[in-house]
Amino acid sequence: MVHTGYDPALVALSLAIAILASYTALDLGARVRTAPGRFRPAWLLGAAVAMGGGIWSMHFVGMLAFEMGMPAAYDLGITLLSLLIAVGVTGAALAWVGRRRAGRRDVLIAGPIMGIGVAAMHYTGMAAMRVPGNLAYSLPVVALSVAIAISAASVALWLTFRPTSVSQKLVAALVMGAAVAGMHYTGMAAATFTAEEAGAHAAHIAAAGADQKNIALSVTGATFVILFLAMLASAVDQQRIQGDLRASEERFRAAVQAVRGVLWTNDPEGRMTGEQPGWSALTGQSRSEYEGFGWAEAVHPDDREASVAAWNATVATRGTFLHEHRVRARDGLWRHFAIRAVPVLDAHGAIREWVGVHTDITEQREAEAELRESNEEIQRYAYIVSHDLRAPLVNVMGFTSELEAVREELRTVLRDHPQGARIDGDMAEALGFIQAAVAKMERLIAAILKLSREGRRRFAPEPVEMTGLLRGIADVQRHQAASRGATVTVADDLPVIVADRLAVEQIFGNLIDNALKYLDPDRPGRIEVTARPAPGDRIRFAVSDNGRGIPAQDHGRIFELFRRSGVQDRPGEGIGLAHVKALTRALGGRIEVASQVGVGTTFVVTLPREAATGGGTAEAAQPEPMILAAE
């Protein structure tokens, strides 16, 4: 039996190599998953060389630290094989867990493989040892060393792809380094050496010890050079990442400026802190004035309380802040701003800060106000003109009746006149033209007055169960549908929306009535009403038919007042779709058409699930400041 021991200096050196290799491998491995596709193989190779080569170097130096009182040599081929096993197995494990779709369970596969590979590296390296004696192993201790290797490898892989700070990474490297060294020295403890000859010459032993230290220093030097180059590559890559981040930040700031926005940040509790150059440039407030909730002093007094309450509510729910208020600019003028702010989370899901943007929408609001005023003037003008036109029209209708009476008298007077019949016929024709024109003008004036009144009527939003409402409309028109040989189908799963019930009935009543009017007589009519969700918490209702269809050039014209498409063989004045469009817009929605001649038509009405903001009347309502919307 050979009495063994360890060189403390080389043991300490092996432990230092294990810790440094672990730190480098953690740093490089973390870049494998986040690196661009073409750089992934390079980072994977670097991480494999750093971790596998570092473990091998630690193992080799630990072997050299082993003192057993007899000379030892190493088979070069088997020693290199142990190095290749360490790098290859480590690279394979890192590649497996570094896949884009890899999850935590993959560590349970790669960890044991890597651990067994590290153990294989260790015992292959032991097999490379050439000593004048016999080597035997304790199987329980070997099993313990393999278990330590698997555990250390699994923890290493889990930490490699887990976001960590520098301090956390350093602690992890210390733990990993100690575990790797523990595996090695446990494996060494499993070995028992027996000398073939009693002792050895002291001079030879001393020379061998000196050679071992030289080899250890050479391996250590090469290892530190490799690890240094790997860390240098990490540092260079980190500079590249920081450069990309700076460029991204500059682009973001430029984008904010391009949309006339002001960027600001708040702490996790929602208080404005630190330097806020954008906010200061906008409002003229100093840091001491805007810090905390001091920024609210720059908000219009009428909007201030609602803004603070809305902000506090969003901070509490950790949602996205959407708001609108007026802010006093540096020049003392009040300007309208739309605000959007989102929480920025750290690696553990806690809010690190809030980032928000104030976007100047003053010109937009002013343009909207001018448009509202213009629309109101047009509506008033239409009402006044239509009203004033009715007065002379009534006179025309009255005098037409008088002419009818005169015609009867003339017929009696001219009964025996040779031209009497012709004169009576001419008068009848003229009076017919006058009466037809008066009737048409009456209908047009009534349509204009109707649209004008609709523009001024107030809406009363309420929950509307759309399936029931539309089936009610279909029931009212069942006789018309039956006479046309058509069926009207309403889906069972139409949602409930909040809107003015009468307006919704008028919209879909017109669309279903139009679909019944313009069915193709050559095939059974089929009208279907369906719905599906749309972005922005809206619902897209579709009224589809298999009727005549509308030519493509008329798709835009059919929504214009008094404009109709196709053969005019059905009664109407061309106001129905114009009315539908006006009501849909007043409810905060939109209407679109898709049609093909000979195939059919689909009208799509998109309405908000909830009542449109600020929609008190059917006219383009003034949008009230948005109190709060959290996504």
PDB file of all heavy atoms in Angstrom, residues 8 70 146 184 236 345 389 479 596:
ATOM      1  N   PRO A   8      -0.259  21.230  -1.299  1.00  0.00           N
ATOM      2  CA  PRO A   8      -1.278  22.268  -1.026  1.00  0.00           C
ATOM      3  C   PRO A   8      -1.291  23.374  -2.073  1.00  0.00           C
ATOM      4  O   PRO A   8      -2.364  23.880  -2.438  1.00  0.00           O
ATOM      5  CB  PRO A   8      -0.866  22.810   0.351  1.00  0.00           C
ATOM      6  CG  PRO A   8      -0.049  21.707   0.959  1.00  0.00           C
ATOM      7  CD  PRO A   8       0.664  21.043  -0.163  1.00  0.00           C
ATOM      8  N   MET A  70       6.061   7.684  -5.490  1.00  0.00           N
ATOM      9  CA  MET A  70       6.710   6.937  -6.571  1.00  0.00           C
ATOM     10  C   MET A  70       6.522   7.715  -7.860  1.00  0.00           C
ATOM     11  O   MET A  70       5.575   8.511  -7.993  1.00  0.00           O
ATOM     12  CB  MET A  70       6.129   5.531  -6.685  1.00  0.00           C
ATOM     13  CG  MET A  70       4.647   5.446  -6.896  1.00  0.00           C
ATOM     14  SD  MET A  70       4.114   3.702  -6.952  1.00  0.00           S
ATOM     15  CE  MET A  70       2.344   3.912  -6.990  1.00  0.00           C
ATOM     16  N   VAL A 146     -19.358  10.166  -9.274  1.00  0.00           N
ATOM     17  CA  VAL A 146     -20.209  10.348 -10.457  1.00  0.00           C
ATOM     18  C   VAL A 146     -21.459  11.148 -10.084  1.00  0.00           C
ATOM     19  O   VAL A 146     -21.899  12.026 -10.830  1.00  0.00           O
ATOM     20  CB  VAL A 146     -20.591   8.981 -11.059  1.00  0.00           C
ATOM     21  CG1 VAL A 146     -21.614   9.153 -12.185  1.00  0.00           C
ATOM     22  CG2 VAL A 146     -19.352   8.264 -11.591  1.00  0.00           C
ATOM     23  N   HIS A 184     -13.560  15.860  -8.308  1.00  0.00           N
ATOM     24  CA  HIS A 184     -12.238  15.343  -8.662  1.00  0.00           C
ATOM     25  C   HIS A 184     -11.577  14.655  -7.468  1.00  0.00           C
ATOM     26  O   HIS A 184     -11.106  13.510  -7.577  1.00  0.00           O
ATOM     27  CB  HIS A 184     -11.351  16.474  -9.159  1.00  0.00           C
ATOM     28  CG  HIS A 184      -9.909  16.067  -9.311  1.00  0.00           C
ATOM     29  ND1 HIS A 184      -9.444  15.374 -10.392  1.00  0.00           N
ATOM     30  CD2 HIS A 184      -8.839  16.240  -8.480  1.00  0.00           C
ATOM     31  CE1 HIS A 184      -8.151  15.128 -10.250  1.00  0.00           C
ATOM     32  NE2 HIS A 184      -7.759  15.657  -9.091  1.00  0.00           N
ATOM     33  N   VAL A 236     -15.422  42.309 -25.233  1.00  0.00           N
ATOM     34  CA  VAL A 236     -15.621  42.960 -26.534  1.00  0.00           C
ATOM     35  C   VAL A 236     -17.082  42.858 -26.960  1.00  0.00           C
ATOM     36  O   VAL A 236     -17.680  43.823 -27.457  1.00  0.00           O
ATOM     37  CB  VAL A 236     -14.692  42.316 -27.596  1.00  0.00           C
ATOM     38  CG1 VAL A 236     -15.031  42.837 -28.987  1.00  0.00           C
ATOM     39  CG2 VAL A 236     -13.241  42.602 -27.262  1.00  0.00           C
ATOM     40  N   LEU A 345     -39.840  45.838 -16.158  1.00  0.00           N
ATOM     41  CA  LEU A 345     -39.647  44.820 -15.127  1.00  0.00           C
ATOM     42  C   LEU A 345     -38.208  44.346 -15.094  1.00  0.00           C
ATOM     43  O   LEU A 345     -37.512  44.344 -16.113  1.00  0.00           O
ATOM     44  CB  LEU A 345     -40.562  43.624 -15.392  1.00  0.00           C
ATOM     45  CG  LEU A 345     -42.060  43.941 -15.583  1.00  0.00           C
ATOM     46  CD1 LEU A 345     -42.837  42.659 -15.815  1.00  0.00           C
ATOM     47  CD2 LEU A 345     -42.618  44.693 -14.387  1.00  0.00           C
ATOM     48  N   LEU A 389     -87.186  75.576 -47.768  1.00  0.00           N
ATOM     49  CA  LEU A 389     -87.658  75.084 -49.063  1.00  0.00           C
ATOM     50  C   LEU A 389     -89.073  74.552 -48.975  1.00  0.00           C
ATOM     51  O   LEU A 389     -89.810  74.532 -49.980  1.00  0.00           O
ATOM     52  CB  LEU A 389     -86.731  73.979 -49.586  1.00  0.00           C
ATOM     53  CG  LEU A 389     -85.407  74.427 -50.196  1.00  0.00           C
ATOM     54  CD1 LEU A 389     -84.564  73.209 -50.549  1.00  0.00           C
ATOM     55  CD2 LEU A 389     -85.645  75.277 -51.444  1.00  0.00           C
ATOM     56  N   HIS A 479     -92.320  38.459 -43.732  1.00  0.00           N
ATOM     57  CA  HIS A 479     -93.259  38.400 -44.858  1.00  0.00           C
ATOM     58  C   HIS A 479     -92.554  38.806 -46.156  1.00  0.00           C
ATOM     59  O   HIS A 479     -92.717  38.141 -47.196  1.00  0.00           O
ATOM     60  CB  HIS A 479     -94.456  39.316 -44.603  1.00  0.00           C
ATOM     61  CG  HIS A 479     -95.402  39.368 -45.765  1.00  0.00           C
ATOM     62  ND1 HIS A 479     -96.246  38.313 -46.096  1.00  0.00           N
ATOM     63  CD2 HIS A 479     -95.634  40.348 -46.690  1.00  0.00           C
ATOM     64  CE1 HIS A 479     -96.948  38.634 -47.171  1.00  0.00           C
ATOM     65  NE2 HIS A 479     -96.609  39.867 -47.542  1.00  0.00           N
ATOM     66  N   GLN A 596     -69.307  41.390 -55.133  1.00  0.00           N
ATOM     67  CA  GLN A 596     -68.966  40.930 -56.472  1.00  0.00           C
ATOM     68  C   GLN A 596     -70.255  40.710 -57.241  1.00  0.00           C
ATOM     69  O   GLN A 596     -71.167  40.029 -56.761  1.00  0.00           O
ATOM     70  CB  GLN A 596     -68.145  39.640 -56.410  1.00  0.00           C
ATOM     71  CG  GLN A 596     -67.640  39.167 -57.763  1.00  0.00           C
ATOM     72  CD  GLN A 596     -66.754  37.947 -57.632  1.00  0.00           C
ATOM     73  OE1 GLN A 596     -66.326  37.582 -56.536  1.00  0.00           O
ATOM     74  NE2 GLN A 596     -66.471  37.300 -58.746  1.00  0.00           N
TER      75      GLN A 596
END
